[in-house]
C-alpha cells in the first residue's frame, strides 16, 4: 500500500502482512468463532441483506464485543434484493436502513448492559466506603479533612463514556455493501471519489451525506437536508447516486425491464 512517511513527502510502498481467519457462521461452530476472536485484532461480520439479524449474528457480535475487537459490518447478498425480492432502489434503501438499525440495537444492548453493571459496582463501592467512613467517624479515627478527601475520590470514580464510535454507520466507512456471488463490494468512500469531480463536491463532504436523509437538488447540484425539500419528492442521495446505478446494471444484464437499462449518466 502507498503511504506518506511525512505529510509533505512522496508516497512510498509499504508492505503489510494480513492473516484472515474464516470461521463458519453456523451455530454448531461457535467454538471456532470464539477461538478465532482471541487470535484477531478485528472482525468482519457478515449479515444477509434478506435474512437480516439472526440469533447467530447476535452471538458473533457479542463475541467480538467481549474480546474488544473492532468489527466491520458487511451487508452481503444485496443482489437478492434485486433478483429475488424485486425491490426498487428506494425500497432496498429503506430495508437496509432498518437492518443497520437492528444491528446497532444489538450493539447498544451490549453497551447498556455493561454500563448498568459498572454503575451497580460503582454504587456498591460507594456504599462500602460510606459505611467504612461512618464507622471510622464513630470511633474518632478519621479527621474531617480526610473524610472530604475520601468523598472526592468516590465521586470521581464513575466516568461517563461516549458510545458514538461503537455503532456502525456507512459515513464512518465501517459498513461494506456487497454481493459475494457476483464479486462486488463498496463503501460510501469509493462512490464519493467517483462523484467528487462530477458534482463538484469535496469527497470528505460526500462521504458524510451519501447515506442518510440527504438529497441532491438536480438543478443547483446542492445537497439538501430533509427540512429543505419543501414538498419535493427527491430520492435520498444513496438511492440516486448508488443504488439506481446498481439496479440499472442488474436490469440490463438479467433481462429485467425488457433488457433495457436506465440512463445513469449524471452531469
Amino acid at each position: 500500500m502507498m503511504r506518506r512517511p511525512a505529510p509533505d513527502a512522496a508516497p512510498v510502498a509499504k508492505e503489510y502482512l494480513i492473516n484472515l481467519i474464516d470461521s463458519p457462521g453456523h451455530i454448531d461452530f461457535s467454538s471456532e468463532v470464539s477461538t478465532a476472536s482471541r487470535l484477531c485484532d478485528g472482525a468482519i461480520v457478515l449479515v444477509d441483506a434478506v435474512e437480516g439479524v439472526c440469533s447467530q449474528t447476535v452471538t458473533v457480535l457479542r463475541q467480538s464485543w467481549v474480546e474488544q475487537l473492532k468489527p466491520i459490518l458487511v451487508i452481503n447478498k444485496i443482489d437478492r434484493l434485486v433478483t429475488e425480492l424485486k425491490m426498487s432502489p428506494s425500497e432496498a434503501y429503506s430495508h437496509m436502513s432498518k437492518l443497520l438499525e437492528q444491528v446497532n440495537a444489538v450493539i447498544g444492548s451490549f453497551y447498556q448492559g455493561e454500563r448498568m453493571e459498572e454503575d451497580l459496582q460503582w454504587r456498591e463501592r460507594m456504599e462500602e466506603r460510606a459505611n467504612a467512613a461512618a464507622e471510622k467517624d464513630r470511633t474518632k479515627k478519621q479527621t474531617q479533612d480526610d473524610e472530604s478527601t475520601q468523598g472526592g475520590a468516590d465521586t470521581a470514580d464513575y466516568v461517563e463514556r461516549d458510545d458514538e464510535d461503537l455503532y456502525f454507520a456507512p459515513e464512518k466507512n465501517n459498513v461494506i455493501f456487497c454481493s459475494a456471488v457476483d464479486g462486488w463490494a463498496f463503501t460510501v468512500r469509493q462512490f464519493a471519489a467517483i462523484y467528487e469531480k462530477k458534482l463538484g463536491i469535496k469527497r470528505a463532504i460526500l462521504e458524510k451525506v451519501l447515506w442518510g436523509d440527504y438529497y441532491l437538488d438536480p438543478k443547483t447540484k446542492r445537497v439538501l437536508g430533509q427540512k429543505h425539500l419543501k414538498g419535493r419528492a427527491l430520492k435520498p442521495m444513496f438511492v440516486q447516486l448508488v443504488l439506481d446505478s446498481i439496479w440499472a446494471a442488474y436490469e440490463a444484464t438479467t433481462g429485467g425491464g425488457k433488457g433495457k437499462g436506465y440512463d445513469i449518466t449524471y452531469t
Side-chain angles (χ1 to χ4, degrees):
M1 299 180 68
M2 303 301 291
R3 289 289 182 266
R4 296 178 186 272
D8 298 331
V12 296
K14 186 174 182 179
E15 292 186 356
Y16 293 88
L17 177 62
I18 300 176
N19 296 305
L20 298 178
I21 302 177
D22 182 20
S23 58
H26 196 275
I27 192 171
D28 291 343
F29 296 92
S30 294
S31 59
E32 279 81 352
V33 177
S34 177
T35 302
S37 63
R38 295 188 180 96
L39 301 173
C40 298
D41 301 308
I44 299 175
V45 181
L46 273 72
V47 177
D48 191 312
V50 176
E51 302 297 334
V53 177
C54 303
S55 59
Q56 186 64 3
T57 310
V58 178
T59 302
V60 172
L61 288 171
R62 184 184 297 278
Q63 194 65 46
S64 66
W65 176 273
V66 170
E67 298 299 335
Q68 298 182 345
L69 302 180
K70 198 71 174 178
I72 294 176
L73 177 65
V74 178
I75 301 178
N76 190 25
K77 301 185 181 181
I78 294 179
D79 57 283
R80 294 182 64 190
L81 302 181
V82 188
T83 58
E84 292 184 25
L85 300 186
K86 306 296 183 181
M87 287 185 177
S88 67
S90 296
E91 291 171 340
Y93 171 71
S94 177
H95 177 81
M96 289 189 288
S97 296
K98 292 177 181 178
L99 190 154
L100 191 59
E101 291 175 1
Q102 292 172 359
V103 176
N104 282 332
V106 174
I107 298 295
S109 67
F110 299 157
Y111 174 78
Q112 292 298 329
E114 187 175 277
R115 294 304 286 165
M116 289 176 64
E117 184 177 354
E118 291 176 356
D119 178 68
L120 179 61
Q121 293 174 353
W122 178 78
R123 292 179 185 276
E124 290 176 348
R125 290 197 303 269
M126 286 284 290
E127 185 176 353
E128 291 174 358
R129 292 177 182 178
N131 293 337
E135 181 65 24
K136 289 181 180 180
D137 183 58
R138 284 194 296 269
T139 57
K140 305 297 184 180
K141 292 182 180 180
Q142 184 177 25
T143 64
Q144 188 67 30
D145 290 339
D146 290 336
E147 291 173 0
S148 64
T149 302
Q150 183 65 49
D154 288 338
T155 55
D157 280 349
Y158 191 79
V159 180
E160 290 290 345
R161 290 190 301 168
D162 185 11
D163 62 340
E164 183 179 355
D165 293 335
L166 300 177
Y167 301 108
F168 298 109
E171 61 270 19
K172 296 179 182 178
N173 289 293
N174 60 6
V175 179
I176 297 174
F177 304 89
C178 87
S179 168
V181 69
D182 290 332
W184 57 263
F186 66 89
T187 63
V188 295
R189 174 175 294 175
Q190 291 169 285
F191 271 88
I194 293 173
Y195 287 109
E196 181 179 18
K197 293 183 179 179
K198 292 184 178 181
L199 300 178
I201 302 175
K202 293 182 179 180
R203 183 170 63 179
I205 296 176
L206 281 174
E207 288 180 17
K208 296 179 181 179
V209 300
L210 267 179
W211 180 270
D213 294 327
Y214 297 99
Y215 307 83
L216 181 66
D217 190 323
K219 295 182 179 179
T220 63
K221 296 298 186 291
R222 293 181 58 186
V223 178
L224 305 175
Q226 193 171 24
K227 63 181 180 180
H228 296 110
L229 288 179
K230 298 179 180 179
R232 287 181 292 178
L234 297 179
K235 299 178 181 179
M237 290 184 64
F238 191 79
V239 175
Q240 183 180 0
L241 301 182
V242 180
L243 295 186
D244 275 355
S245 301
I246 295 174
W247 258 242
Y250 273 97
E251 290 285 352
T253 56
T254 60
K258 297 182 181 179
K260 295 181 180 178
Y262 302 118
D263 181 8
I264 55 174
T265 302
Y266 295 94
T267 58

